[in-house]
Amino acid sequence: MAAAERPRDTLLRGTLDMLILRTIERQPLHGYAIAQQIERLSQEVLAVEQGSLYPALERLQARGWVTGKAGTTPTGRQARYYTISRAGRKQLGEQISSFDRVLEAIQRVMRPAADTD
Amino acid sequence: MSFVDGLRYRLQVWCRPDKHRAAIDAETEFHLSLDTMQLGDGTAARRRFGNRTAQRMLRREASGAGPADRLAQDARFAWRQLVREPALTLTVIVTLALGIAASTTMFAIIDQVLIRPPAGIADARRVVQVGKAPDGPQAAMRGYSVSYASYLQFREMRDLFSGVTAETQGRVTINPGPDAVRARVTFVAEDYFGTLGVRLALGRTFTTEETAPRSDARTVIVSWNWWRTRLGGAPNAVGRTINIRNARFTVIGVAPRHFTGTVLADNDLWLPLGARSFLSFANDRWIDDRGSSFFRVTMRLRPGVEAERATAIAAVRWSAWRVRSGKGGTKGSGLALNALAPGLGSAEPEHRVARLLAALSIALLLIACANVINLLLARSLARRREIAIRVALGISRGRLLRLFVADALLLALFAGAAALAFTAVVVPLARAVLFAGGSGGEWNVGWRLALFTAIVAVGAGVVVGTLPAIVALRDTSIAALQGSGRGAGQRGRRTRFTLLVVQGSLSVALLACCGLFVQSLSRINAKPVGFDLDHLLSVPMEQERTSDSTDASERMLAEAMRRRALATPGVEAAALSYGEPFEGAIGFKLTLPNGDSLDEEKHGTAFVYWVSPDYFATTGLVIRRGRPLSADDRGADVAVVDAGLAAALWPHADPIGQCFHVDAETSYPTCTRVVGVTDDARQRQLIVSRPQLQFYLPLTAAPRYLGDILVLTVRARNPIRIAATLHRALQDVRPGLPWIAVTPFTELVAPELRPWRLGARVFATFGGLALLIAMAGIFSVLRHTTLQRRRELGVRRALGAQSGSIARLVVREALAAALVASLLGSIAVVVSGRWLGVLLFEASPGDGAVLIAVNLILLTGCVVASAVPAWRATRADPMLALREE
């Protein structure tokens, strides 16, 4: 997702939120690490730029799905670590199911015409 | 749960923006350092990151703190504007503060006097007072005094009212002696405090026995102010005694703060009804006499009963009773139950003046706003360049508008705070101006006033900021960017002109009202009083009522006093009469031999004074026809009437020799013959809208029950100088006399005239302020216009124009505005004649003199205000102006 002056459409914004929540589901990470993780796991297809990442993190904190706290990196540096909250987990579950529904719907539309018979 | 966490984060971000920004910066640094490590190149990392300021702003927006940031930015911008031009800022704040203060002062007064019921009464909307139903255009008296017997009738209506009580006012002398004080008292019937729902601050209320009509209880409840000032605010004040007319009254309670009764007038003490027989009029005739109607009845509606229904039922029952008991008639046909607060529509003169002042204060506010708009317009024109650059850089219209409004709001808020402080000082002063006879202790001007001030200030700020913004937004030419003066003269010219016209016409209207008021006042003062106010002293004879005093011995004492007064040096004449001037008088029903009676609806009641023969000579009342009363006239068979009464009773006949009957006592003859006619005299009240009818009977014909309202009137060349000597002489007439108070007449009328005198000053101040503000507006506008037109004027001068024509150019705009304003303002004044009624004492708004004078003043002010800018314009060096480009 390229950085834009403001989020282009809700689908993309909601998807980014979902990706972030999933990334920190297992363990708290700092912002840079979140971006790296998404890039790595998607095999470099998805590149999150800081122009989208950090505003998204602010949004998530403002809605109480993520909490940010100061922490120490393995190399001993100070950084802000983001943890998913319980409400965040619930939200993640809902977003995953709705994303799956949308994805399936898109696939149904895009399938070749012959297959619909 | 998540909502709360999110809220907490958002609050943190809002309240500690600096901490948030620091965290953002730290995170950015961290990010950049990692990126640098990854890319191996710091510059590339920074480039990839992008604009840090923009990123920070995006993050703040995403966390919801955007609006707060913008607000802080606007406030900082506004503050910078303020500080940059302190003179302009100060002018704007002071101007706005004056306008706001005038409005809020009048609001405080109107609120307290007309809208809010008297303080201290519980659930005041359920409390009503007996009044007269208004019929016809004559403004009816709100309060309607009834007899004690009538009060008892209302008390029987238990199905309508859960509490009924009655009261009557009076004055008594406290501590007769050198430290004597006249106190205002209210005599109250049973359950007075209970009906009103008033809880005393200390002590207890009167018992039913104490308020019985024939009780001789000597108990008193003091007002809060009395308790604080004369009893030291001591907690053990209950049980102490007060000397009222040499009798000891025990204090049994203290009224709560701010409570003054059912009317908005100072009251010092509450006494039980029975004490009235002892203290005033010295008799208990009032209990049974149906003609003694001076009680005001107040009642509390029973829950579930509405005022209209109660009025209808009570009116029917009351008139049925009156017919049954033989007192039915046209008088008092309409009964009304009035709410305690006079209401905005009240027709009493003081209230109408208050309403008019409120309208005028709004006009003053509008003038102030117009002026401030002009000032701000001028300032924004001077900043064309800065604003044009902002517009060119893409600021949205909304944002620009918000900037201007924020600026104006900040100014308005300062002005509002100043106005509030000013109002707190001015309201008591204004009260004294408008309400002479005391106005109910202190008022609590509290949060209602602050709220009103805030609303007015914010409204003014928005109005004042929007107009310059709109004008500035339209100004986006290249010339604006260059900051040159080209084209600026035309920008906003129409707006400026309109504003000047608005200011000018409002000023004309304001000044005209002031002029009319002052004119009315001088007419009132010029009217002859009828007697020589400046040469008379009044000595009321409050006599001790002991068991063996008789009427004859009192008259002998009075005569002895009169002779002693005559013997005092400096005294020219002395006479006795029943009736204290400017206090109370007694009216009676008059009937003619053919059965007609005086139409009291049309003319008012006829008041009587029983006077000794030399009364007319002493007071200076001129006998126009016939003769004065002589020593031979002993009974009520002869009378002297005043011109007004004569005209009312015998409009087409010679009054001398005519007969009329005075329904005062059964012993009075059927025919009282008129032997003389005097000029109209204003003995009850100085300022009245219709003449009072009076007639005079011989002193010896006075009924027994009149008691001690015997007054000695003394004529002297210099009353104030001999007052002390006279007092000493009279006090010595007999040992053990109660305190003799000697008061020059001029002092008696002072309270009545004071509000009108001070009112004239207030109106004059309003008018003066309006003119000053308008002139300041013209001055500043012309100054800026001239600056803008420097180039044009320079060219003209270079081409050879004379100083005179340059000056004329400058003044023309102002004069044009002033002329239009004069016209509009004058039309407004003439058209609004109906509402100006209270100001017009025998005058009409189309009265030429005032309007002409006002318009001349405005035009002169305009010329004066434009003098300096015009002079400056002629001094402008054409070379400087031409080179400016």
Side-chain angles (χ1 to χ4, degrees):
Chain A
M1 278 139 285
E5 279 306 335
R6 43 197 93 124
R8 280 229 191 81
D9 49 71
T10 333
L11 173 61
L12 284 178
R13 201 197 317 177
T15 318
L16 177 58
D17 289 354
M18 189 181 69
L19 292 174
I20 293 175
L21 285 174
R22 180 62 150 185
T23 310
I24 58 176
E25 191 184 10
R26 255 178 304 136
Q27 56 164 355
L29 291 173
H30 59 70
Y32 196 80
I34 295 176
Q36 275 191 325
Q37 183 83 320
I38 294 178
E39 208 174 309
R40 194 165 59 81
L41 287 178
S42 72
Q43 292 167 352
E44 321 228 318
V45 173
L46 303 172
V48 187
E49 294 205 3
Q50 79 295 337
S52 319
L53 174 72
Y54 288 109
L57 282 170
E58 294 282 346
R59 265 196 321 271
L60 290 170
Q61 287 179 93
R63 299 174 81 154
W65 296 333
V66 162
T67 31
K69 232 173 36 183
T72 328
T73 69
T75 52
R77 298 184 62 187
Q78 285 296 317
R80 192 174 169 86
Y81 275 79
Y82 296 95
T83 322
I84 192 170
S85 70
R86 195 165 43 195
R89 280 182 209 278
K90 198 165 102 163
Q91 178 67 12
L92 178 61
E94 282 168 25
Q95 279 196 335
I96 291 176
S97 5
S98 95
F99 181 78
D100 283 341
R101 273 202 307 277
V102 168
L103 197 56
E104 206 186 312
I106 295 177
Q107 284 177 332
R108 273 206 295 271
V109 170
M110 298 303 284
R111 230 174 275 148
D115 283 3
T116 56
D117 288 336
Chain B
M1 200 50 208
S2 74
F3 175 71
V4 171
D5 286 329
L7 196 62
R8 200 167 40 214
Y9 180 70
R10 262 185 294 203
L11 267 174
Q12 260 174 6
V13 163
W14 268 69
C15 300
R16 298 296 311 272
D18 46 337
K19 211 164 104 174
H20 190 229
R21 287 201 196 96
I24 292 176
D25 286 342
E27 201 165 10
T28 307
E29 280 303 326
F30 180 71
H31 183 111
L32 281 174
S33 66
L34 288 182
D35 230 13
T36 311
M37 278 200 307
Q38 195 191 35
L39 294 176
D41 176 10
T43 321
R46 275 196 295 278
R47 206 178 315 130
R48 188 153 87 146
F49 193 83
N51 184 328
R52 291 173 67 157
T53 317
Q55 294 301 324
R56 192 163 60 195
M57 218 170 72
L58 270 177
R59 284 190 70 164
R60 290 281 296 171
E61 284 285 343
S63 68
D69 282 351
R70 279 193 288 278
L71 193 67
Q73 241 180 344
D74 289 346
R76 266 201 302 273
F77 173 79
W79 180 253
R80 271 201 312 268
Q81 299 268 63
L82 249 64
V83 171
R84 223 151 68 166
E85 277 176 295
L88 181 78
T89 307
L90 205 63
T91 313
V92 167
I93 291 180
V94 167
T95 312
L96 272 183
L98 279 174
I100 298 174
S103 308
T104 51
T105 304
M106 288 321 301
F107 168 77
I109 289 178
I110 297 247
D111 183 43
Q112 187 77 32
V113 173
L114 295 183
I115 301 182
R116 286 214 277 203
I121 299 178
D123 199 9
R125 257 171 300 184
R126 304 291 299 167
V127 178
V128 292
Q129 270 193 332
V130 167
K132 199 153 153 262
D135 39 55
Q138 292 263 5
M141 277 188 8
R142 284 199 88 250
Y144 186 33
S145 300
V146 296
S147 64
Y148 188 73
S150 292
Y151 153 65
L152 291 177
Q153 287 302 308
F154 286 110
R155 210 173 60 169
E156 294 302 307
M157 303 181 194
R158 297 212 179 283
D159 54 329
L160 297 175
F161 312 114
S162 58
V164 181
T165 186
E167 62 183 286
T168 182
Q169 265 84 27
R171 280 198 209 222
V172 294
T173 309
I174 309 287
N175 292 335
D179 310 314
V181 167
R182 286 286 270 182
R184 268 182 278 230
V185 304
T186 308
F187 300 98
V188 302
E190 82 178 83
D191 200 26
Y192 177 79
F193 293 95
T195 304
L196 296 179
V198 173
R199 283 187 32 160
L200 295 186
L202 279 182
R204 64 166 180 89
T205 63
F206 299 116
T207 63
T208 317
E209 292 81 39
E210 283 166 342
T211 50
R214 293 197 164 80
S215 147
D216 61 353
R218 301 273 187 259
T219 49
V220 60
I221 294 178
V222 299
S223 70
W224 179 273
N225 281 345
W226 186 276
W227 176 59
R228 302 290 302 195
T229 51
R230 301 185 73 88
L231 297 177
N236 65 348
V238 172
R240 287 170 55 171
T241 57
I242 300 181
N243 173 355
I244 306 182
R245 281 208 56 199
N246 284 330
R248 299 247 136 231
F249 278 71
T250 314
V251 176
I252 59 163
V254 176
R257 197 169 183 193
H258 300 302
F259 176 69
T260 56
T262 57
V263 288
L264 213 62
D266 288 333
N267 191 64
D268 299 311
L269 308 169
W270 283 269
L271 292 159
L273 214 45
R276 191 175 187 278
S277 309
F278 167 71
L279 291 173
S280 274
F281 289 94
N283 64 75
D284 55 6
R285 196 169 178 268
W286 53 270
I287 300 178
D288 301 310
D289 174 36
R290 301 284 299 281
S292 305
S293 22
F294 30 67
F295 290 98
R296 254 209 302 270
V297 177
T298 312
M299 52 269 265
R300 179 176 287 277
L301 293 167
R302 207 166 262 290
V305 175
E306 286 320 310
E308 291 85 32
R309 199 171 132 245
T311 308
I313 299 176
V316 165
R317 287 190 198 162
W318 189 54
S319 38
W321 168 73
R322 295 184 91 229
V323 168
R324 269 202 319 270
S325 54
K327 252 237 163 188
T330 52
K331 182 170 186 235
S333 45
L335 183 81
L337 296 178
N338 297 323
L340 287 179
L344 284 174
S346 163
E348 271 158 71
E350 292 164 337
H351 298 163
R352 283 157 71 193
V353 172
R355 271 206 308 271
L356 188 68
L357 273 182
L360 293 183
S361 67
I362 294 184
L364 196 66
L365 177 64
L366 287 175
I367 294 177
C369 282
N371 204 37
V372 168
I373 292 179
N374 261 336
L375 286 171
L376 291 181
L377 261 181
R379 181 174 72 175
S380 72
L381 277 172
R383 302 241 191 94
R384 292 177 82 201
R385 189 152 177 269
E386 174 192 332
I387 297 168
I389 289 177
R390 279 183 200 259
V391 172
L393 283 177
I395 193 174
S396 72
R397 297 179 102 80
R399 193 71 210 281
L400 191 68
L401 193 68
R402 272 218 322 269
L403 277 179
F404 273 85
V405 171
D407 175 36
L409 266 179
L410 192 62
L411 286 168
L413 285 175
F414 275 123
L420 203 58
F422 182 67
T423 306
V425 164
V426 161
V427 165
L429 193 66
R431 248 174 55 212
V433 165
L434 289 172
F435 308 108
S439 46
E442 340 146 28
W443 292 352
N444 38 359
V445 279
W447 63 268
R448 277 163 82 118
L449 185 67
L451 187 65
F452 182 80
T453 311
I455 293 177
V456 170
V458 167
V462 168
V463 161
V464 155
T466 314
L467 213 57
I470 294 177
V471 169
L473 272 174
R474 280 196 248 137
D475 181 27
T476 50
S477 58
I478 296 286
L481 268 175
Q482 289 177 335
S484 78
R486 221 184 305 202
Q490 301 307 313
R491 285 276 162 234
R493 190 158 170 235
R494 242 178 328 178
T495 320
R496 278 204 317 273
F497 186 79
T498 317
L499 285 172
L500 278 181
V501 167
V502 165
Q503 268 186 305
S505 37
L506 284 174
S507 301
V508 166
L510 210 59
L511 283 171
C513 286
C514 303
L516 286 171
F517 185 87
V518 171
Q519 198 182 44
S520 298
L521 187 61
S522 64
R523 285 220 183 95
I524 290 173
N525 275 335
K527 267 206 133 171
V529 179
F531 46 88
D532 294 332
L533 207 56
D534 297 317
H535 293 118
L536 297 175
L537 299 120
S538 163
V539 188
M541 327 253 284
E542 284 192 347
Q543 316 232 21
E544 277 295 328
R545 280 271 144 171
T546 60
S547 50
D548 46 284
S549 70
T550 66
D551 208 32
S553 69
E554 279 162 21
R555 297 258 174 91
M556 262 174 45
L557 175 63
E559 185 56 31
M561 295 257 203
R562 192 178 80 86
R563 276 201 291 271
R564 176 64 72 90
L566 279 172
T568 311
V571 169
E572 295 170 354
L576 292 167
S577 62
Y578 277 103
E580 195 176 347
F582 305 109
E583 275 292 326
I586 307 183
F588 288 109
K589 196 162 146 198
L590 305 180
T591 34
L592 291 172
N594 61 7
D596 287 342
S597 57
L598 178 68
D599 184 357
E600 291 188 355
E601 301 285 319
K602 188 164 155 207
H603 299 287
T605 320
F607 295 97
V608 62
Y609 292 86
W610 291 268
V611 300
S612 62
D614 39 5
Y615 182 79
F616 299 98
T618 307
T619 55
L621 260 179
V622 176
I623 304 280
R624 288 280 165 213
R625 309 196 48 187
R627 62 166 180 84
L629 296 172
S630 73
D632 298 324
D633 298 319
R634 311 241 60 159
D637 46 337
V638 292
V640 170
V641 300
D642 77 358
L645 184 58
L649 287 177
W650 307 283
H652 307 293
D654 180 5
I656 306 285
Q658 298 278 358
C659 261
F660 65 104
H661 171 67
V662 182
D663 189 14
E665 264 206 336
T666 41
S667 64
Y668 271 30
T670 332
C671 172
T672 301
R673 222 169 11 99
V674 175
V675 296
V677 180
T678 74
D679 280 339
D680 289 328
R682 293 185 273 167
Q683 279 188 287
R684 274 189 72 230
Q685 250 187 312
L686 213 53
I687 299 161
V688 281
S689 47
R690 70 176 175 193
Q692 304 150 113
L693 307 180
Q694 284 154 164
F695 62 101
Y696 305 88
L697 292 171
L699 189 68
T700 39
R704 274 228 58 190
Y705 58 75
L706 282 182
D708 57 355
I709 45 167
L710 190 61
V711 175
L712 177 68
T713 308
V714 173
R715 183 191 189 84
R717 186 181 296 276
N718 202 325
I720 300 177
R721 213 159 342 131
I722 68 151
T725 325
L726 186 60
H727 162 78
R728 268 198 302 275
L730 292 177
Q731 192 79 52
D732 278 341
V733 166
R734 194 178 294 174
L737 277 180
W739 179 255
I740 307 284
V742 173
T743 323
F745 267 46
T746 42
E747 257 178 59
L748 286 175
V749 304
E752 200 189 340
L753 279 180
R754 193 181 59 200
W756 294 87
R757 280 214 195 98
L758 291 179
R761 271 184 230 153
V762 166
F763 272 98
T765 314
F766 264 25
L769 271 179
L771 187 67
L772 269 176
I773 295 178
M775 274 175 59
I778 295 175
F779 178 80
S780 68
V781 163
L782 279 184
R783 194 164 72 97
H784 270 99
T785 319
T786 322
L787 279 173
Q788 300 296 332
R789 291 169 76 180
R790 247 202 314 255
R791 190 168 172 275
E792 174 202 340
L793 293 174
V795 169
R796 283 181 193 262
R797 288 215 64 197
L799 288 177
Q802 297 296 325
S803 301
S805 65
I806 299 279
R808 262 203 304 278
L809 268 181
V810 172
V811 175
R812 212 167 42 186
E813 185 180 347
L815 262 184
L819 280 171
V820 177
S822 288
L823 192 64
L824 286 179
S826 306
I827 294 178
V829 168
V830 172
V831 155
S832 62
R834 190 158 57 102
W835 292 289
L836 294 178
V838 66
L839 294 181
L840 309 174
F841 190 80
E842 300 169 6
S844 88
D847 201 327
V850 170
L851 277 177
I852 291 176
V854 164
N855 286 326
L856 274 178
I857 291 177
L858 183 74
L859 288 172
T860 317
C862 171
V863 167
V864 166
S866 42
V868 172
W871 179 80
R872 286 252 202 86
T874 61
R875 314 289 297 157
D877 184 355
M879 282 311 298
L880 236 62
L882 285 172
R883 249 189 274 138
E884 193 190 56
E885 298 299 305

